[in-house]
Amino acid sequence: MPTGAVVALAAALITPAAVAGPATAAPAAGAVTAATAAAAPDIPVANVKAHLAQLQSIATANGGNRAHGRAGYKASIDYVKGKLDAAGYTTTLQTFSYNGSTGYNLVADWPGGDTSHVVMAGAHLDSVTGGPGINDDGSGSAGVLETALAVSRAGLKPTKHLRFGWWGAEEYGMVGSKNYVNSLSSADRSKIDSYLNFDMIGSPNPGYFTYRYDSALDALFRDYFAGLGIATEQDFEGDGRSDHAPFQNAGIRVGGLFSGADYTKTAAQAAKWGGTAGQAFDRCYHSSCDTSANIDDTVLDRMSDAIAYAIWTLSAGDTTPPSGTVFENTTDVQIPDNGAAVTSAVTVTGRTGNAPAALQVGVDIKHTWRGDLVVDLVAPNGTTFRLKNSSGNDSADNVQTTYTVNASAVPANGTWQLKVQDVASQDTGYIDSWKLTF
């Protein structure tokens, strides 16, 4: 996981504690049945740790790291590819160039399943130059790899098509995953029903964090851990800092798990999860001590099992998108270049009480430099939720994503507004459409 946040995807007003309440999810989005729960295998943590031992050995033999452009990274890719080739996957090695060095992504497709409905999971395989990167992100890479191998051992015949990815140069700003997403045609992007990201799942002072961006995928993981008697929190530390961001920015539903990086564990979190309050979730984050000794076996085991649970559940699920009551405005609204904010209104009627804690806000803004944009949702009572901040580092086009907002404190009925302001010059665009899904 890179150090700096690249995209601010949610406001401080959307608090983890508030959003962590029960979410309303349609069964088609991956609701769990007894059959799918029973079908998901237990992932042997010893197998996951064996992969980590190999990555540690690779780093030790190659200057102490597995970073982009270094021999340790290519050896890591070769190790994962060899395992997948032997297990019957169709593997593709995608190359790209960054900082004068060749980078590599590895994509593995499991034969069968409906290729117009793809369930994808991934993790970044590179480390920083200053250490072997065994938790960040050998842990996620190993968990995804062992889940992929479990698919092969089970001879799984999923309804949807399964695809796994290992990304390069994430530590330089998700370079590999951006290259992969950008290499896809719009038709191929639309075939990916969901992308699940796993960046750091073995932190030594662990937390149990779920990605909050899609309410149904978030609920899938929260419900899984609730079944183990483990309360989760929604992740804010990883906003825009890992490989889910390029997928999300392309309009693909994303979910995932995270055990914490350099944020400090609070007393409340230590009471809930164990560990040490007042210390970072991973004190070796981006350091030379991020070795095979920098792993908590219990969280690694549980999160690896959760990866398999999600893969088995989603790949067997219905291909119908999440349902719900939708209120939409499709009228184009021009956004003045470096000018005043504009609004687009949606009137909600027929609801009872307050809005949900997982109100989905689907946004489609066409713009030539989305980093110029500040986007807010304004509730009928005037409460404002910051969906997106401006960012000089966010140079891509368009804002096409779904935000999840805890709007449970405001009335549902009334006029809601999407408020957009362009705060810098030279780029233009318009609100194409937006919608609220209750």
Side-chain angles (χ1 to χ4, degrees):
M1 177 180 289
T3 301
V6 175
V7 185
L9 295 174
L13 287 170
I14 310 174
T15 64
V19 182
T24 301
V32 180
T33 67
T36 57
D42 179 79
I43 299 298
V45 71
N47 292 7
V48 181
K49 292 196 70 178
H51 299 313
L52 294 181
Q54 289 295 320
L55 296 178
Q56 177 67 69
S57 295
I58 288 169
T60 301
N62 290 280
N65 68 71
R66 302 178 302 100
H68 164 74
R70 309 294 180 91
Y73 181 72
K74 183 58 165 60
S76 300
I77 279 281
D78 291 343
Y79 170 74
V80 175
K81 186 176 187 300
K83 292 289 186 182
L84 295 165
D85 288 340
Y89 280 83
T90 299
T91 59
T92 302
L93 195 63
Q94 181 189 49
T95 61
F96 57 90
S97 180
Y98 183 75
N99 269 3
S101 299
T102 300
Y104 302 92
N105 293 326
L106 178 65
V107 178
D109 285 88
W110 180 243
D114 183 356
T115 55
S116 65
H117 292 281
V118 177
V119 174
M120 189 170 189
H124 76 86
L125 191 55
D126 65 313
S127 73
V128 294
T129 57
I134 299 304
N135 186 36
D136 183 18
D137 181 36
S139 60
S141 292
V144 172
L145 173 58
E146 190 56 31
T147 298
L149 298 180
V151 167
S152 175
R153 289 193 296 267
L156 188 64
K157 300 185 186 307
T159 301
K160 296 186 180 183
H161 183 72
L162 284 177
R163 181 176 300 155
F164 300 91
W166 289 263
W167 313 118
E170 187 269 357
E171 297 292 359
Y172 291 91
M174 296 82 72
V175 178
S177 55
K178 285 179 182 175
N179 270 270
Y180 173 75
V181 172
N182 290 341
S183 74
L184 299 174
S185 67
S186 58
D188 285 338
R189 291 181 190 178
S190 69
K191 293 175 183 177
I192 302 177
D193 284 358
S194 54
Y195 171 73
L196 306 178
N197 194 60
F198 303 97
D199 189 350
M200 304 178 64
I201 62 168
S203 303
N205 189 28
Y208 290 82
F209 297 98
T210 62
Y211 288 16
R212 70 188 185 280
Y213 312 113
D214 180 272
S215 60
L217 296 177
D218 182 29
L220 178 70
F221 286 117
R222 286 194 290 109
D223 291 347
Y224 173 79
F225 282 107
L228 300 179
I230 299 170
T232 58
E233 292 183 11
Q234 292 177 315
D235 170 47
F236 285 78
E237 183 177 2
D239 273 353
R241 294 175 60 181
S242 192
D243 294 299
H244 61 282
F247 288 86
Q248 185 179 30
N249 292 336
I252 297 168
R253 298 169 61 223
V254 299
L257 295 172
F258 176 50
S259 57
D262 54 351
Y263 278 23
T264 300
K265 177 176 279 189
T266 67
Q269 289 169 333
K272 178 164 51 180
W273 296 324
T276 305
Q279 290 186 3
F281 294 100
D282 183 358
R283 289 189 292 174
C284 290
Y285 176 65
H286 282 187
S287 300
S288 60
C289 59
D290 187 10
T291 66
S292 53
N294 189 47
I295 292 290
D296 181 273
D297 289 1
T298 299
V299 71
L300 181 69
D301 188 14
R302 290 169 173 169
M303 290 204 167
S304 297
D305 289 342
I307 296 173
Y309 176 79
I311 291 298
W312 255 254
T313 303
L314 293 175
S315 66
D318 197 323
T319 57
T320 306
S323 61
T325 304
V326 177
F327 300 87
E328 185 171 16
N329 188 333
T330 60
T331 301
D332 293 352
V333 178
Q334 294 296 320
I335 304 169
D337 183 28
N338 194 21
V342 295
T343 60
S344 175
V346 163
T347 299
V348 175
T349 60
R351 306 298 297 180
T352 301
N354 287 350
L359 177 64
Q360 294 185 63
V361 188
V363 176
D364 185 353
I365 299 173
K366 303 298 194 296
H367 199 273
T368 53
W369 186 291
R370 67 174 176 233
D372 290 356
L373 299 180
V374 176
V375 183
D376 293 309
L377 175 70
V378 183
N381 68 353
T383 300
T384 299
F385 301 90
R386 176 59 49 85
L387 303 180
K388 179 190 177 302
N389 284 312
S390 60
S391 171
N393 295 321
D394 190 11
S395 59
D397 297 342
N398 306 330
V399 180
Q400 295 170 308
T401 190
T402 299
Y403 301 98
T404 301
V405 171
N406 176 18
S408 59
V410 301
N413 290 333
T415 299
W416 296 74
Q417 293 182 324
L418 188 74
K419 180 180 176 183
V420 182
Q421 184 174 14
D422 183 332
V423 298
S425 60
Q426 298 184 348
D427 288 273
T428 60
Y430 61 96
I431 302 172
D432 186 305
S433 64
W434 73 286
K435 61 185 177 182
L436 296 173
T437 303
F438 286 81

